[in-house]
């Protein structure tokens, strides 16, 4: 980009795949709602934006509105679920979301800075199973604390968040 004189007006986005689980948590394959399967690399280089890394949470649905903002293009009216993370590119300590949502295989997952909560429900809304991992004490997600009773308030809030998301879908 530098040698072609394009550095000052080109946005580069590099994102990756999470790869395969080779026995972690008893899984052999690509997809589940564990942390290792839901985090992927995301690198954005945009003219005039900060260099470095951030712990701000973003989702792939946030890429389109971010690119629209960076390129000065209008967002399609009423068609996007994501939120631009340009504020994070301008200030690496900024955040645009408190949590992110992941859906796979009939399960719903909410992740915030501390917890990962997943639930599976039947068609009638009754609970089949839940998982809660406290990344502060268990970053590798080896202890499901959903039955401990210690984090009932947090689990209820995550379940309400999932309910709001599912109403939009």
């Amino acid at each position: 980009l530098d040698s072609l004189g394009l550095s000052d007006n080109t946005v580069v986005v590099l994102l990756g795949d999470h790869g395969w689980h080779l026995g972690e948590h008893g899984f052999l394959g690509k997809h589940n709602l564990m942390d290792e399967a839901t985090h992927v690399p995301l690198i954005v280089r945009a003219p005039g934006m900060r260099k470095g890394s951030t712990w701000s949470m973003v989702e792939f649905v946030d890429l389109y509105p971010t690119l629209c903002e960076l390129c000065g293009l209008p967002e399609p009216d009423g068609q996007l679920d994501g939120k631009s993370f340009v504020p994070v590119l301008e200030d690496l300590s900024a955040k645009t979301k408190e949590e992110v949502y992941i859906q796979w295989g009939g399960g719903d997952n909410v992740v915030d800075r501390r917890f990962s909560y997943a639930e599976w429900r039947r068609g009638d809304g009754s609970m089949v199973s839940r998982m809660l991992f406290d990344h502060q004490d268990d970053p590798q997600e080896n202890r499901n604390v959903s039955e401990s009773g210690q984090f009932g308030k947090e689990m209820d809030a995550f379940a309400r968040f999932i309910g709001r998301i599912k109403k939009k879908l």
Side-chain angles (χ1 to χ4, degrees):
L1 292 176
D2 288 339
S3 68
L4 295 173
L6 300 174
S7 299
D8 292 336
N9 65 357
T10 303
V11 176
V12 178
V13 176
L14 175 67
L15 56 106
D17 186 62
H18 55 78
W20 278 76
H21 282 224
L22 300 175
E24 295 90 352
H25 304 290
F27 293 112
L28 181 62
K30 290 187 73 70
H31 304 289
N32 60 65
L33 293 177
M34 305 298 285
D35 194 56
E36 291 164 339
T38 59
H39 274 117
V40 296
L42 174 62
I43 299 170
V44 178
R45 184 233 171 253
M49 296 294 150
R50 304 286 306 211
K51 294 179 182 178
S53 61
T54 180
W55 287 100
S56 183
M57 302 186 123
V58 299
E59 301 169 279
F60 282 167
V61 295
D62 301 328
L63 282 171
Y64 195 109
T66 300
L67 291 172
C68 286
E69 185 173 346
L70 287 171
C71 297
L73 300 172
E75 292 183 17
D77 197 29
Q79 296 182 34
L80 303 180
D81 289 327
K83 182 176 182 179
S84 172
F85 57 85
V86 167
V88 175
L89 297 174
E90 295 171 335
D91 175 2
L92 298 175
S93 66
K95 56 185 175 181
T96 57
K97 294 183 173 184
E98 293 295 323
E99 64 274 307
V100 293
Y101 171 75
I102 303 131
Q103 192 281 327
W104 182 81
D108 298 284
N109 186 208
V110 181
V111 179
D112 68 10
R113 291 185 184 271
R114 180 171 177 184
F115 296 101
S116 176
Y117 170 80
E119 65 178 36
W120 292 261
R121 293 183 182 263
R122 292 181 183 86
D124 65 2
S126 62
M127 187 69 66
V128 173
S129 183
R130 346 164 88 166
M131 297 186 310
L132 179 71
F133 296 101
D134 181 354
H135 290 155
Q136 179 176 295
D137 295 329
D138 180 23
Q140 276 73 45
E141 297 185 339
N142 292 311
R143 292 180 310 278
N144 178 2
V145 295
S146 65
E147 300 296 323
S148 73
Q150 184 178 4
F151 300 108
K153 186 169 47 171
E154 289 85 354
M155 289 174 51
D156 289 345
F158 291 138
R160 285 191 304 275
F161 177 83
I162 288 171
R164 288 191 304 271
I165 294 288
K166 291 185 82 86
K167 280 184 182 177
K168 291 181 187 178
L169 300 178

